[in-house]
């Protein structure tokens, strides 16, 4: 028998615990406030991974020669609309090269500027706003990468796909052909699925 | 980690391998908003994912692993099986019960005459679903009053589920209070893991049901998204044969029952909805950075088949034959809201806070032979959880925190325990549970990872119940993984019984506990094949319902040993999983003065056999999915139970009673069909003519076409009784918008 069971046994403890919690919450808020004022929000790890995929895609795609002014012209990865990539991550990409070409990450907000990039990443929340950039006349020489099946259905070249906790990608070869892009057999082999009509 | 990742490891330089391993860990800790995000890095050179090639990147998981401190799937300190939405869809399983039966090694699914069917792991199963935890997003959903995890498992509505993780064995230290036999953790989709909208219609034939599901998910920005799901099902069940293992002369207006022949009277549909009510499931979630909110409503409840007492008891003249043969029916309604905040605080600390509220209301009608009033119950629970995680170095981390829950019980008008003499007149009560928990993870060199976990729970009607766990993971190569685990879980009895006992005698009962020793070995054989072996030994100190006391108490100590062999084949187009589970009783001892047939775990102490009475010693499972082409997909699966020799032994013991107890197997001498093997075979084909449309046809219980008693589902306690699971079809049509 436990004689104190008629009284909820941890009430007193809970009271003191509440006090501790309030202090912890205050400390947390202070830390968070400090974090917010000290710089940019943390880079999402999911999008860091997607950025690494985007960078890797540039190794497996051949663009039409006219897309580059000279052998040292950069490969430009555009991000349409609100970007999930931090400036630090953009700087990290800029430190890398593909076939001797610098790789740059650039924000894109209009269809006109979208045509200037080599890879255009359209985040899921920007798909509707990005419909104009997927019009056929703007597709030449641009690798369109998105996040949903609907994006691929509307002409996207590659879409990310989450499969059993791992990031995969699906390739729409018709879109690649229409854009005049050559995609290496190695990338096709790694794709979860390659769609052709 | 998958095999592709392994191949990359084997080709990597040692330094690169170390980078990869660390990145994998970092990735696992931070890719999902439900886990602490990695620290923002100002130095571009620290974005080390760019050092990896595409194959390496594809080997990283972006969902978190189970446990308090972060680790990868390979080093988890428990035996865990995880499967995700594509596997769930391709399995053709109609509900969670059958899904878990198919995918979880050494899990058993068995029917019951009371409330929902039962699941068990590694020989541990009960007439209540309180030996394991059922969780949504890590929040325990079990009903505390009496029923346990008696909700949601039978719903033919699985479209909201992104993944399911199942732990076998005691896991209170890592997963929550009372996890004696295992944990089922369901992770629904969020706006970050499901994009778009679709509508699914499903029609079952044979097992008759109609279901509709709609879902919509949308990312609103980086780390922000919304997901909404609603499903409804009209479940009629199957008009299948029902067998009672003992012959009875005509009685109570019923024609004679002959063992080996279906009940002539009929038994109503098997697996239909209680009270004819539609089943519902609603799930909505919103994620914004470190904040996650979700709400869930589920309504279900079945109608069971009658027990053999329709013959052995005498029907009162005032009770109609229809009412006399009506099985128990019940309904559950559960509504849960939860908010969570998970954030890194600097480079070494992260914080995980959650607050939730849950309401569970149930209705339990036992007309039939018992003629008991309808039992209604309701409990409300508010639960808080705060965990701090400290990682001072990459080779060690510490998690610690507490949980607190407060539960209100609302005046049940009729109660099994409270209404037995002397009646407990105080019908509203409250209880609270306070828990402290911690886990320390450390890496010793390149090859060893150790976990020390402990939680202690203090309930209003229990002493401190402590559940420790220690795990050492040895990874001598990229292909080999050894785990050595010792864990103990303690569990208090059902909350209504605790109150009943306290109100009557001001005493608290003995808790039950399970101490487990486990060794496992996994090997990646090559790029496609993986194999695993588990061996366990469990000391189970059990409690169970004591009719003379009106609450649960000590029923005995049982040592159970066994193991699992697993094999998996995985390519881009083909997946095959195989498991063989084995569990058997080693020894049993009953408390002094234990009554005859005072427990149904085994008849061994009474001199009959040496097997578990409610468990098949060997359970074999195989599942295959294959993509013929992008448009055509095939699936097939089979689950085989080797039979129930322990139930046969118990029926021989029960035959020594002039009047056998109710809750034991009883069959005619020489009639052993109920204790023979069970086989469930399923197959499916899916056609995807376009992105917008999916058509799927699943055939279930195909072995019944050859021998209907092979596809039988036995009943807990009374394994001499079984219902045939008839061959059935499900047609599924999905339209994606």
């Amino acid at each position: 028998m436990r004689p104190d069971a008629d009284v909820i046994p941890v009430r007193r403890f809970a009271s003191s615990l509440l006090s501790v919690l309030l202090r912890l919450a205050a400390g947390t808020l202070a830390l968070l406030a400090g974090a917010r004022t000290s710089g940019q929000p943390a880079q999402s790890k999911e999008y860091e991974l997607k950025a690494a995929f985007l960078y890797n895609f540039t190794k497996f795609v051949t663009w039409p020669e006219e897309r580059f002014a000279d052998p040292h012209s950069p490969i430009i990865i555009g991000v349409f609309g609100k970007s999930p990539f931090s400036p630090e991550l953009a700087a990290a990409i800029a430190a890398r090269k593909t076939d001797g070409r610098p790789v740059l990450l650039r924000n894109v907000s209009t269809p006109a500027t979208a045509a200037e990039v080599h890879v255009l990443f359209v985040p899921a929340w920007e798909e509707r706003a990005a419909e104009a950039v997927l019009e056929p006349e703007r597709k030449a020489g641009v690798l369109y990468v998105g996040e949903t099946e609907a994006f691929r259905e509307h002409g996207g070249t590659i879409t990310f796909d989450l499969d059993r906790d791992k990031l995969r990608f699906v390739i729409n070869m018709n879109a690649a052909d229409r854009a005049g892009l050559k995609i290496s057999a190695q990338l096709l082999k790694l794709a979860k699925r390659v769609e052709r009509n | 980690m998958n095999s592709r990742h392994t191949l990359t490891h084997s080709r990597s330089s040692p330094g690169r391998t170390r980078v990869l391993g660390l990145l994998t860990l970092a990735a696992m800790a931070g890719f999902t908003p439900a886990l602490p995000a990695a620290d923002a890095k100002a130095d571009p050179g620290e974005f080390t994912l760019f050092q990896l090639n595409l194959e390496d990147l594809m080997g990283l998981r972006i969902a978190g692993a189970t446990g308090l401190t972060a680790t990868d799937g390979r080093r988890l300190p428990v035996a865990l099986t995880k499967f995700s939405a594509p596997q769930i869809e391709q399995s053709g399983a109609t509900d969670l019960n059958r899904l878990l039966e198919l995918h979880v090694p050494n899990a058993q699914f068995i029917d019951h005459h009371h409330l929902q069917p039962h699941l068990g792991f590694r020989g541990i199963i009960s007439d209540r679903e309180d030996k394991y935890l059922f969780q949504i997003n890590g929040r325990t959903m079990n009903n505390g009053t009496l029923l346990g995890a008696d909700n949601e498992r039978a719903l033919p509505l699985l479209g909201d589920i992104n993944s399911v993780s199942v732990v076998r064995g005691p896991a209170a230290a890592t997963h929550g209070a009372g996890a004696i036999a295992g944990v089922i953790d369901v992770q629904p989709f969020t706006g970050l893991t499901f994009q778009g909208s679709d509508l699914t219609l499903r029609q079952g034939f044979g097992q008759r049901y109609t279901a509709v599901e709609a879902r919509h998910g949308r990312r609103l920005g980086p780390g922000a998204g919304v997901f909404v799901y609603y499903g409804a099902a009209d479940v009629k069940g199957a008009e299948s044969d029902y067998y009672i293992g003992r012959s009875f002369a005509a009685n109570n207006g019923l024609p004679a029952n002959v063992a080996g022949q279906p009940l002539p009277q009929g038994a109503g549909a098997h697996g239909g909805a209680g009270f004819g009510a539609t089943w519902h499931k609603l799930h909505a979630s919103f994620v914004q950075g470190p904040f996650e909110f979700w709400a869930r409503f589920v309504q279900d409840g079945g109608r069971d088949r009658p027990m053999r007492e329709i013959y052995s008891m005498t029907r009162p003249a005032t009770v109609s034959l229809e009412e006399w043969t009506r099985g128990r029916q019940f309904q559950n309604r559960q509504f849960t809201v939860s908010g969570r905040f998970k954030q890194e605080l600097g480079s070494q600390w992260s914080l995980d806070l959650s607050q939730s509220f849950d309401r569970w209301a149930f209705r339990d009608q036992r007309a039939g032979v018992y003629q008991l009033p309808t039992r209604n119950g309701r409990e409300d629970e508010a639960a808080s959880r705060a965990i701090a995680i400290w990682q001072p170095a990459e080779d060690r981390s510490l998690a610690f925190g507490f949980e607190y829950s407060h539960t209100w019980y609302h005046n049940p008008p009729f109660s099994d325990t409270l209404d037995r003499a002397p009646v407990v007149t105080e019908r509203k009560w409250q209880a609270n549970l306070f828990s402290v928990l911690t886990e320390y993870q450390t890496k010793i060199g390149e090859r060893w990872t150790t976990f020390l976990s402990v939680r202690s729970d203090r309930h209003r009607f229990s002493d401190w119940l402590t559940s420790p766990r220690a795990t050492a993971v040895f990874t001598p190569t990229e292909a080999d993984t050894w785990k050595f685990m010792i864990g103990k879980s303690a569990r208090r009895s059902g909350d209504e019984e605790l109150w009943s006992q306290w109100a009557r005698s001001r005493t608290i009962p003995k808790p039950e506990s399970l101490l487990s020793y486990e060794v496992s070995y996994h090997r990646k054989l090559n790029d496609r094949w993986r194999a695993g072996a588990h061996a366990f030994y469990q000391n189970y100190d059990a409690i169970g319902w004591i009719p003379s006391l009106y609450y649960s108490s000590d029923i005995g100590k049982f040592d159970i040993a066994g193991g699992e062999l697993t094999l998996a084949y995985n390519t881009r187009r083909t997946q095959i999983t195989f498991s063989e589970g084995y569990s058997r009783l080693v020894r049993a001892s009953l408390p002094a003065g234990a009554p005859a047939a005072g427990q149904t775990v085994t008849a061994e102490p009474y001199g009959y056999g040496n097997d578990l009475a409610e468990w098949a010693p060997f359970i074999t499972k195989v599942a295959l999915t294959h993509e013929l082409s992008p448009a055509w997909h095939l699936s097939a699966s089979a689950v085989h139970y080797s039979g129930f020799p322990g139930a046969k032994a118990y029926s021989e013991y029960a035959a020594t009673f002039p009047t056998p107890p109710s809750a034991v197997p009883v069959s005619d001498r020489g009639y052993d069909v109920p204790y023979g093997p069970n086989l469930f075979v399923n197959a499916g084909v899916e056609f995807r003519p376009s992105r917008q449309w999916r058509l799927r046809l699943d055939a279930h219980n195909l072995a019944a076409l050859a021998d209907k008693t092979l596809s039988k589902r036995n009943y807990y306690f009374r394994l001499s009784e079984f219902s045939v699971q008839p061959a059935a079809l499900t047609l599924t049509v999905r339209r994606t918008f």
Side-chain angles (χ1 to χ4, degrees):
Chain A
M1 171 174 169
R2 228 186 52 212
D4 62 339
D6 269 339
V7 179
I8 296 176
V10 297
R11 183 172 288 166
R12 285 187 298 276
F13 187 84
S15 173
S16 59
L17 185 69
L18 183 63
S19 166
V20 172
L21 276 180
L22 288 172
R23 292 177 192 177
L24 184 62
T28 302
L29 289 173
L31 276 168
L32 291 175
R36 286 198 181 105
T37 55
S38 64
Q40 296 290 326
Q43 169 64 52
S44 154
K45 296 302 290 184
E46 176 188 351
Y47 281 97
E48 184 183 339
L49 179 62
K50 287 180 174 173
F53 268 71
L54 290 172
Y55 163 66
N56 269 276
F57 289 158
T58 65
K59 302 175 184 173
F60 299 100
V61 175
T62 304
W63 281 266
E65 283 188 15
E66 61 269 24
R67 290 303 324 272
F68 298 100
D70 60 63
H72 304 292
S73 297
I75 296 174
I76 301 172
I77 300 175
V79 183
F80 192 85
K82 185 178 179 184
S83 173
F85 306 126
S86 67
E88 290 82 2
L89 189 140
I93 290 182
R96 312 201 68 84
K97 290 189 174 183
T98 295
D99 290 336
R101 296 181 185 277
V103 180
L104 303 178
L105 190 70
R106 179 181 296 173
N107 287 351
V108 169
S109 56
T110 66
T113 50
E116 297 171 4
V117 305
H118 300 90
V119 178
L120 183 66
F121 175 62
V122 179
W125 54 91
E126 297 288 0
E127 275 185 15
R128 290 181 187 170
E131 281 178 3
V133 304
L134 288 172
E135 291 170 3
E137 65 271 19
R138 301 187 193 280
K139 285 185 177 174
V142 179
L143 180 78
Y144 288 92
V145 183
E147 298 189 278
T148 70
E149 282 189 63
F151 179 80
R152 199 170 64 250
E153 185 85 358
H154 287 96
T157 321
I158 296 179
T159 52
F160 289 118
D161 186 275
L162 194 58
D163 186 358
R164 302 177 196 194
D165 295 342
K166 294 176 182 175
L167 197 60
R168 297 283 184 270
F169 55 92
V170 179
I171 298 176
N172 178 348
M173 274 308 293
N174 298 320
D177 291 343
R178 282 196 295 270
L181 303 174
K182 291 179 182 172
I183 296 181
S184 79
Q186 193 177 352
L187 190 65
L188 297 177
K189 185 181 174 186
L190 291 174
K192 178 183 177 185
R193 196 165 64 248
V194 178
E195 296 178 342
R196 298 175 197 270
N197 285 337
Chain B
M1 296 180 204
N2 71 354
S3 52
R4 189 182 301 281
H5 198 174
T6 307
L7 192 63
T8 306
H9 272 210
S10 65
R11 292 196 304 245
S12 302
S13 67
R16 189 156 162 270
T17 301
R18 278 195 295 276
V19 168
L20 196 56
L22 293 173
L23 288 171
T24 304
L25 276 180
M28 307 203 102
F31 282 164
T32 164
L35 293 166
D39 193 30
K41 302 170 183 70
D43 178 1
E46 291 186 19
F47 285 96
T48 42
L49 287 181
F50 293 105
Q51 298 172 15
L52 304 184
N53 65 33
L54 209 46
E55 284 182 274
D56 292 337
L57 294 169
M58 291 170 67
L60 300 179
R61 290 185 184 276
I62 64 172
T66 306
L68 293 173
T69 56
T71 187
D72 55 58
R74 184 184 176 195
R75 292 173 175 81
L76 281 175
V78 292
L80 182 130
T81 303
K82 183 173 182 177
F83 37 95
S84 52
Q87 289 164 286
I88 294 169
E89 291 181 0
Q90 290 294 309
S91 74
T94 50
D95 55 41
L96 266 176
N97 282 325
R98 288 168 177 82
L99 183 70
L100 297 167
E101 178 184 45
L102 174 60
H103 280 298
V104 181
N106 224 350
Q108 178 178 294
F109 171 43
I110 193 168
D111 216 328
H112 195 28
H113 291 103
H114 300 299
L115 308 177
Q116 296 214 18
H118 297 304
L119 282 168
F121 306 97
R122 292 180 166 175
I124 308 295
I125 195 166
S126 170
D127 63 323
R128 300 168 191 172
E129 293 303 274
D130 53 11
K131 306 302 185 197
Y132 64 87
L133 303 182
F134 180 79
Q135 299 181 329
I136 300 292
N137 286 330
R139 200 247 187 236
T140 299
M141 307 292 278
N142 288 39
N143 171 312
T145 300
L146 190 63
L147 313 172
D150 201 61
N151 201 0
E152 206 169 308
R153 290 177 294 112
L155 287 170
L157 304 168
L158 302 176
D160 63 314
I161 299 176
N162 184 25
S163 66
V164 182
S165 299
V166 181
V167 178
R168 306 187 300 282
T174 51
H175 289 74
I180 287 275
V183 178
I184 301 165
D185 185 22
V186 172
Q187 300 279 331
F189 284 110
T190 69
L192 305 183
T193 53
F194 184 89
Q195 301 297 300
S197 306
D198 61 33
L199 179 70
T200 303
L201 297 174
R202 191 169 289 125
Q203 179 65 49
F205 305 93
Q207 296 273 3
R208 297 167 302 157
Y209 70 95
T210 304
V212 58
E213 297 174 279
R215 54 187 182 175
H216 173 74
R218 181 171 165 76
R219 277 185 187 267
L220 304 173
V226 63
F227 174 75
V228 180
Y229 167 90
Y230 172 69
D234 177 29
V235 181
K236 303 292 188 193
E239 295 292 344
S240 66
D241 289 339
Y242 173 54
Y243 290 76
I244 289 177
R246 184 178 186 182
S247 297
F248 289 95
N251 189 20
N252 293 327
L254 295 163
N257 178 70
V258 179
Q261 295 183 14
L263 185 70
Q265 171 70 16
H270 181 246
F275 307 102
T278 301
W279 293 352
H280 300 275
K281 187 199 278 189
L282 174 68
H283 185 88
S285 80
F286 173 71
V287 181
Q288 173 74 57
F291 295 97
E292 180 175 7
F293 303 93
W294 57 270
R296 191 176 186 87
F297 172 75
V298 169
Q299 173 177 300
D300 71 357
R303 178 173 176 169
D304 297 318
R305 287 184 149 172
M307 300 180 296
R308 58 176 179 264
E309 277 82 349
I310 58 175
Y311 282 100
S312 62
M313 293 174 66
T314 301
R315 176 166 66 96
T318 55
V319 178
S320 69
L321 185 61
E322 186 279 328
E323 193 179 356
W324 183 249
T325 56
R326 188 191 304 162
R328 192 167 177 170
Q329 53 183 342
F330 55 97
Q331 184 177 64
N332 293 304
R333 289 177 177 150
Q334 186 172 21
F335 175 70
T336 313
V337 291
S338 175
R340 186 173 185 178
F341 172 81
K342 197 160 187 176
Q343 178 73 42
E344 289 212 344
L345 307 173
S347 60
Q348 296 186 351
W349 287 87
S350 62
L351 192 64
D352 183 356
L353 307 173
S354 63
Q355 177 65 49
S356 60
F357 176 80
D358 180 74
R359 167 167 290 186
W360 187 322
F362 65 89
R363 183 156 59 125
D364 174 15
Q365 183 193 77
R366 280 169 292 178
V369 295
Y370 285 129
Q371 294 297 301
L372 291 170
T374 296
R375 181 171 182 269
N376 291 284
R378 195 183 107 198
E379 64 181 55
D380 297 332
E381 181 193 64
S384 309
R385 175 183 162 103
I387 304 291
I389 302 162
W390 180 46
Q391 186 166 11
E394 290 188 346
D395 61 353
R396 72 199 65 176
S397 57
L398 173 72
F400 59 94
F402 76 93
E403 295 173 359
Y404 176 79
S405 65
H406 195 106
T407 309
W408 295 263
Y409 304 88
H410 295 272
N411 193 25
F414 171 74
S415 159
D416 264 347
T417 58
L418 304 179
D419 281 304
R420 309 288 176 128
V423 170
V424 176
T425 55
E426 278 185 87
R427 308 301 283 255
K428 285 187 176 179
W429 74 100
Q430 301 176 31
N432 58 356
L433 173 68
F434 180 75
S435 310
V436 290
L437 55 156
T438 185
E439 180 174 278
Y440 179 64
Q441 177 190 154
T442 182
K443 295 180 177 62
I444 304 169
E446 293 282 323
R447 297 179 173 181
W448 286 91
T449 307
T450 61
F451 300 82
L452 291 172
S453 318
V454 64
R455 75 175 287 138
S456 198
D457 308 295
R458 173 78 179 270
H459 187 263
R460 180 183 178 189
F461 302 120
S462 82
D463 291 317
W464 284 101
L465 303 182
T466 300
S467 302
R469 185 177 185 89
T471 301
V473 182
F474 178 52
T475 49
T477 70
E478 288 297 332
D480 301 288
T481 305
W482 289 88
K483 292 183 186 180
F484 306 90
M485 296 174 269
I486 302 175
K488 179 185 177 183
S489 285
R491 189 188 78 83
R492 68 185 188 281
S493 187
D495 291 353
E496 192 175 44
E497 291 183 17
L498 291 172
W499 171 241
S500 171
Q501 179 174 344
W502 177 257
R504 288 196 177 96
S505 65
R506 291 295 189 264
T507 59
I508 56 174
K510 174 189 170 215
E512 73 175 343
S513 66
L514 189 141
L515 172 62
S516 171
Y517 308 88
E518 184 177 351
V519 178
S520 72
Y521 171 66
H522 284 263
R523 181 171 177 79
K524 295 168 187 167
L525 300 172
N526 56 38
D527 204 20
R528 298 180 172 187
W529 288 94
R530 285 178 292 168
H534 297 253
F536 62 85
Y537 192 95
Q538 302 177 142
N539 302 128
Y540 181 31
D541 191 354
I543 61 173
W545 175 257
I546 307 294
S548 60
L549 298 175
Y550 314 131
Y551 53 76
S552 294
S553 189
D554 183 19
I555 58 169
K557 293 181 172 60
F558 308 91
D559 285 6
I560 299 168
E564 293 115 23
L565 297 174
T566 61
L567 192 63
Y569 175 80
N570 190 19
T571 68
R572 192 161 62 174
R573 298 174 64 179
T574 305
Q575 292 82 42
I576 301 172
T577 59
F578 166 85
S579 73
E580 179 72 31
Y582 174 67
S583 306
R584 74 162 300 125
L585 181 75
V586 177
R587 70 171 64 90
S589 63
L590 306 185
Q599 52 78 36
T600 59
V601 177
T602 176
E604 188 268 348
Y606 313 122
Y608 289 83
N610 57 358
D611 291 292
L612 295 166
E614 316 272 6
W615 198 267
F618 292 93
I619 304 175
T620 310
K621 309 179 177 191
V622 61
L624 173 148
T625 61
H626 179 65
E627 180 184 317
L628 281 175
S629 69
W632 290 94
H633 297 246
L634 300 176
S635 66
S637 64
V639 177
H640 179 257
Y641 295 96
S642 62
F644 298 91
K648 181 173 183 291
Y650 211 110
S651 73
E652 290 166 357
Y653 167 55
T656 64
F657 288 75
T659 304
S662 169
V664 300
V666 177
S667 54
D668 287 4
R669 184 176 297 277
Y671 175 57
D672 295 336
V673 170
Y675 315 118
N678 301 358
L679 177 64
F680 305 99
V681 178
N682 313 294
V685 59
E686 184 170 309
F687 177 51
R688 303 176 185 176
S690 68
R691 189 187 76 83
Q692 284 81 16
W693 290 98
R694 282 191 189 193
L695 307 172
R696 183 175 177 87
L697 184 66
D698 285 287
H700 313 282
N701 309 320
L702 294 171
L705 297 173
D707 177 358
K708 63 182 179 181
T709 63
L710 203 54
S711 279
K712 66 182 187 297
R713 192 71 72 180
N714 295 74
Y715 284 81
Y716 190 87
F717 281 151
R718 306 166 190 86
L719 280 93
S720 48
E721 273 82 277
F722 63 86
S723 284
V724 170
Q725 303 272 271
L729 292 173
T730 297
L731 178 63
T732 304
V733 180
R734 173 172 294 166
R735 172 75 164 91
T736 300
F737 301 97

